[in-house]
Amino acid sequence: MGRRNGQPPRMTRHKATNRARLRVGGRDLYGPDWGRHKKPSEACNEWYHGLIARWGAAGGLLPDIDRPTVASAVLAASDPARNFAVAELAVRYIEHCETHYRRPDGSPTGTAKLVENAFRFAEGWYRVPAIDFKAPQLIEVRNHIIKTAGPQRWVTTVEGGKEVRRQERQPPSRTYVNDTINRIRTAFRWGAERGLVPGTVAYELAAVRSLRAGRGEGARETPPVLPVSDDTFLATLELLPNVVADLLRVIRLTGARPGEICSMRPKDITTTG
């Protein structure tokens, strides 16, 4: 793992996963979460300095990475998929989403960000070989989402005769949990299509059923979103600017999404009757 002028490799932030990254011997090593600031977190610095200390002691090499043992070399030769970790699959799929999911004007949709957020719940499995990430691991990720995700709300309680306001976490909705798990499943299916992971892994992950209504295993049930009445809709139009009101009229008549109508051009409309 030699470097010019004997300088150690630099730690960088990988934007797609918000994790520390260090390139070693042509491979990317991913460390702890970077945090929310420009400077790396304390955990990242500890991880980096630990690697650099080994790098210096070994004369510019990391023996267990740059000089694999005979056993690990045989394992890699016999089963290359075991060198392909969940984090690497996540990075490649996010990069694919950034280029594949585009609006008609060429701007990216929010799909890549949604996938990135989904894989952050699988942080504890980043270093697991993708071939070993199967149904039990996906269920563990789902349980982790239910325990840690969800919106915050202010709650007022009476303590010692005084009202105290504090934030309390609500469990995530069942549909949010299912959507998040489906994005991880889709990433593995995409990896199977490209030969990055065995098809049997994607097949086993597909066997994990989505949470059913009334059986969310701790996830929150949300009330159905009902349409507004015609009277409310027409009264609202009177209070809106003409452009926004026309936008809503077209949405109501076509059933299209707001983003689709906003990106619509005059030449997209047939006016010949």
Side-chain angles (χ1 to χ4, degrees), residues 28-217:
D28 288 332
L29 304 181
Y30 295 91
D33 186 83
W34 189 272
R36 298 184 178 180
H37 305 286
K38 291 184 178 180
K39 294 184 178 180
S41 64
E42 183 177 346
C44 289
N45 287 326
E46 292 179 359
W47 172 78
Y48 172 71
H49 291 306
L51 285 178
I52 293 306
R54 291 165 52 200
W55 178 85
L61 294 172
L62 288 181
D64 57 342
I65 297 175
D66 291 342
R67 295 177 181 175
T69 63
V70 174
S72 62
V74 170
L75 176 61
S78 60
D79 192 357
R82 290 198 170 275
N83 285 336
F84 192 75
V86 170
E88 296 179 72
L89 174 66
V91 169
R92 293 202 190 185
Y93 183 60
I94 291 170
E95 291 173 347
H96 162 75
C97 291
E98 289 173 345
T99 58
H100 181 73
Y101 293 100
R102 296 272 171 171
R103 298 186 180 92
D105 61 359
S107 61
T109 66
T111 302
K113 187 64 177 178
L114 292 173
V115 173
E116 177 183 335
N117 291 337
F119 269 100
R120 288 194 178 176
F121 291 110
E123 180 179 353
W125 294 265
Y126 274 179
R127 299 186 182 183
V128 173
I131 192 175
D132 292 334
F133 190 88
K134 299 181 180 179
Q137 287 72 35
L138 187 62
I139 293 175
E140 289 178 9
V141 173
R142 186 173 68 188
N143 293 337
H144 178 63
I145 296 172
I146 295 173
K147 292 178 181 178
T148 61
Q152 299 283 339
R153 66 174 181 177
W154 286 99
V155 178
T156 302
T157 58
V158 178
E159 298 178 5
K162 295 182 179 180
E163 289 189 353
V164 178
R165 295 186 74 231
R166 66 174 184 274
Q167 281 190 320
E168 184 179 85
R169 184 188 70 86
Q170 286 184 299
S173 68
R174 179 177 55 83
T175 54
Y176 173 80
V177 175
N178 287 338
D179 290 344
T180 303
I181 291 299
N182 283 336
R183 292 186 181 103
I184 296 176
R185 263 198 294 245
T186 302
F188 276 84
R189 186 167 64 246
W190 174 87
E193 290 175 347
R194 285 152 180 79
L196 301 176
V197 297
T200 53
V201 175
Y203 181 81
E204 183 168 342
L205 295 182
V208 179
R209 296 184 180 182
S210 298
L211 298 177
R212 305 294 181 181
R215 288 172 284 180
E217 299 182 15

Side-chain angles (χ1 to χ4, degrees), residues 26 60 258 268:
D268 297 327

